[in-house]
Amino acid sequence: MFKNFCPSALGINGRQSELIELALTYAFRGMDVDMHDMLRRSQRTTFEDASKYLKASEIKIGSFQLAIDLDSDDDTFTAAVAQLHPLGEIAQQLGAERALIRVPAATNRLPFNEFFDVQRNRLGQIADVLGQREIKLGIGFRAGAELLEGKEFTFVNNVETFRALVDAVPNENVGYVIDTWDWVVGDGAMDQLSEISGEKIVALRLGSVPEEADLATVKSTDRLLPEMNGVTLDHVKVVGHLNETNFSGPMSPTASTSQYKGQTREFLVQKSQEAIDGICKEAGMTVAPLPMDLIEDIPYEPTPM
């Protein structure tokens, strides 16, 4: 696995060049990219112009989020799948290997059993298109209580139904997005996570639930940077398990900016880097030094007179 910078998972915005600089400064080996924006920019200018910063930095693309609403009507969904073909082409040119999507926590469209079949088929269609470009589809879920408001039918907002849906999609390029915040809020524990091999996981996201939070009412804005020993889930054990079971994907810190009001984006990136590095060290993994640390390690040699 590799340390990955996902700006959206930290609520961070900026020009692509600025985000790449942040990732490199804090020794992130990979970075998530807005592939839909890359496609638009490539269509306005050229692929070479749109990708010049990524190519110059040589940073690995961790994953990209699919802007597809799985709760949309059939015509809207069909149109979105059609856009996957040019999107997949751009992603393949950039060497991206992982696309991510989250399933609806609730819906007004259909009861659970009928909606389950719809989602399984839709995820299969998406995986088919991505598979043509040798891109994996990582499926995640969301457990925040606010996602159920105003919805008639609960769908996937816990680990049990999440695992059932992912396992029901037959495509070989389909796997899990494990988000430890959603895992905890969605009634998940370490023993359930231990049943999933790292080879079946497409992406890992780490975030902590506040100790005082009521898991029945906690909202997505109640998300802290990952702690070593979070509420009911030990991040050191999570990372250790995935490392031992051959997980080779991106590991990204997450947090809600509402928990860090008044802080700069540099602060958030630095603290997320420190959190991930600390967890990895405790899990017995080698942690790459920051670029500034490498500079400090270079012995001083006075300039000859």
Side-chain angles (χ1 to χ4, degrees):
M1 75 184 81
F2 57 93
K3 186 170 66 175
N4 187 66
F5 175 44
C6 178
S8 62
L10 294 169
I12 292 175
N13 297 308
R15 293 193 295 269
Q16 188 181 83
S17 57
E18 296 172 339
L19 298 175
I20 291 172
E21 183 179 359
L22 279 171
L24 296 176
T25 298
Y26 292 99
F28 286 91
R29 284 181 50 209
M31 187 179 87
D32 279 15
V33 170
D34 185 340
M35 202 63 67
H36 293 272
D37 179 62
M38 286 293 301
L39 175 59
R40 290 190 293 268
R41 290 166 58 191
S42 296
Q43 292 170 337
R44 286 198 303 266
T45 57
T46 64
F47 171 76
E48 287 71 23
D49 183 66
S51 61
K52 60 185 178 183
Y53 294 118
L54 287 169
K55 288 186 175 180
S57 68
E58 297 184 348
I59 195 166
K60 183 180 180 66
I61 295 180
S63 64
F64 61 96
Q65 190 73 31
L66 296 177
I68 297 178
D69 181 4
L70 290 170
D71 197 24
S72 61
D73 60 68
D74 290 342
D75 290 342
T76 302
F77 175 75
T78 299
V81 172
Q83 284 296 309
L84 274 182
H85 292 281
L87 188 77
E89 182 178 353
I90 290 290
Q92 188 177 44
Q93 285 182 270
L94 288 170
E97 301 174 346
R98 300 170 180 85
L100 312 181
I101 196 166
R102 299 211 184 202
V103 295
T107 182
N108 288 324
R109 296 187 64 216
L110 293 166
F112 181 88
N113 289 339
E114 295 174 57
F115 200 54
F116 187 97
D117 290 336
V118 169
Q119 293 305 312
R120 178 182 57 198
N121 292 333
R122 288 187 170 190
L123 291 167
Q125 291 180 53
I126 293 170
D128 283 340
V129 176
L130 294 174
Q132 296 170 22
R133 299 290 181 178
E134 298 183 346
I135 298 172
K136 296 179 181 179
L137 175 63
I139 302 172
F141 78 104
R142 295 180 293 173
E146 80 281 0
L147 298 169
L148 305 182
E149 296 174 2
K151 300 294 184 180
E152 184 176 1
F153 307 110
T154 299
F155 187 53
V156 174
N157 73 327
N158 61 66
V159 168
E160 183 179 356
T161 52
F162 171 55
R163 291 187 62 184
L165 179 60
V166 176
D167 291 346
V169 182
N171 306 64
E172 292 185 0
N173 62 324
V174 164
Y176 291 88
V177 176
I178 300 295
D179 184 314
T180 56
W181 189 92
D182 290 303
W183 197 267
V184 169
V185 177
D187 297 323
M190 188 65 209
D191 58 345
Q192 294 163 296
L193 201 154
S194 297
E195 295 172 356
I196 304 173
S197 169
E199 296 177 341
K200 186 64 176 175
I201 296 173
V202 176
L204 172 65
R205 296 194 169 179
L206 304 179
S208 286
V209 180
E211 289 186 9
E212 69 280 5
D214 180 354
L215 296 183
T217 59
V218 68
K219 297 183 177 181
S220 300
T221 50
D222 300 316
R223 180 188 286 261
L224 301 174
L225 288 169
E227 301 168 350
M228 289 193 191
N229 308 109
V231 175
T232 74
L233 195 65
D234 189 319
H235 278 127
V236 175
K237 289 183 179 179
V238 171
V239 171
H241 164 67
L242 267 61
N243 188 46
E244 292 171 358
T245 56
N246 302 318
F247 171 60
S248 59
M251 170 179 52
S252 310
T254 69
S256 170
T257 51
S258 63
Q259 300 296 317
Y260 302 92
K261 292 180 179 178
Q263 300 295 346
T264 65
R265 62 183 183 181
E266 285 80 6
F267 171 89
L268 267 176
V269 178
Q270 179 182 1
K271 291 302 179 184
S272 65
Q273 167 261 315
E274 291 173 353
I276 291 288
D277 285 357
I279 291 168
C280 289
K281 286 179 181 177
E282 284 296 313
M285 298 171 60
T286 301
V287 174
L290 302 184
M292 60 278 283
D293 294 335
L294 291 173
I295 293 172
E296 292 173 358
D297 288 342
I298 298 175
Y300 171 72
E301 294 182 7
T303 303
M305 300 297 290

